[in-house]
Amino acid sequence: QVQLVESGGGLVQAGGSLRLSCAASGSIFAITAMGWYRQAPGKQRELVATITSGRITNYADSVQGRFTISRDNAGNTVYLQMNSLKPEDTAVYYCKVEYDRRWLGRDYWGQGTQVTVSS
């Protein structure tokens, strides 16, 4: 049974920082990648950053240089350090965990955490 628990959202002023966490339990050995996506009101969900089991990272152009994605040594927790936040970063942030299809037939999403950046 896979469970994802997100934490770390909140309200911050422009220029401030927040750190999001997402802890996965169950079938950790089958995780191939973890990532963060966000969805602002009236917009489609978009990729923010991803990190593979080999620690290869990928960022959206809009957050490159401001956000950093990382994973703990156990490989079951992914973090998103967000610096120099802007009002346009306001969204619900979702953690996504991808699994080797030889073991699990689907990917999993977290419940979402609200990030609000005031100007």
Side-chain angles (χ1 to χ4, degrees):
Q1 181 75 16
V2 173
Q3 286 189 322
L4 304 183
V5 178
E6 297 182 24
S7 62
L11 173 64
V12 66
Q13 289 188 332
S17 299
L18 283 174
R19 190 191 195 209
L20 305 182
S21 299
C22 174
S25 60
S27 301
I28 296 170
F29 69 94
I31 294 174
T32 58
M34 304 178 84
W36 291 96
Y37 293 71
R38 67 186 181 188
Q39 187 166 17
K43 295 188 177 181
Q44 290 189 330
R45 190 171 298 188
E46 63 176 5
L47 179 147
V48 176
T50 61
I51 183 167
T52 69
S53 295
R55 302 301 197 266
I56 297 172
T57 59
N58 180 51
Y59 294 93
D61 289 344
S62 59
V63 306
Q64 183 78 44
R66 299 187 298 121
F67 292 9
T68 302
I69 190 169
S70 62
R71 288 172 67 174
D72 68 342
N73 289 336
N76 68 315
T77 301
V78 62
Y79 305 97
L80 186 68
Q81 178 66 43
M82 305 185 292
N83 298 329
S84 303
L85 283 160
K86 305 175 181 180
E88 51 263 44
D89 294 318
T90 295
V92 177
Y93 284 69
Y94 297 90
C95 168
K96 180 184 179 183
V97 180
E98 299 177 9
Y99 291 86
D100 189 325
R101 285 296 184 265
R102 293 174 295 179
W103 300 102
L104 272 76
R106 53 164 287 191
D107 301 327
Y108 285 79
W109 291 87
Q111 79 278 11
T113 185
Q114 177 70 47
V115 171
T116 303
V117 184
S118 63
S119 57

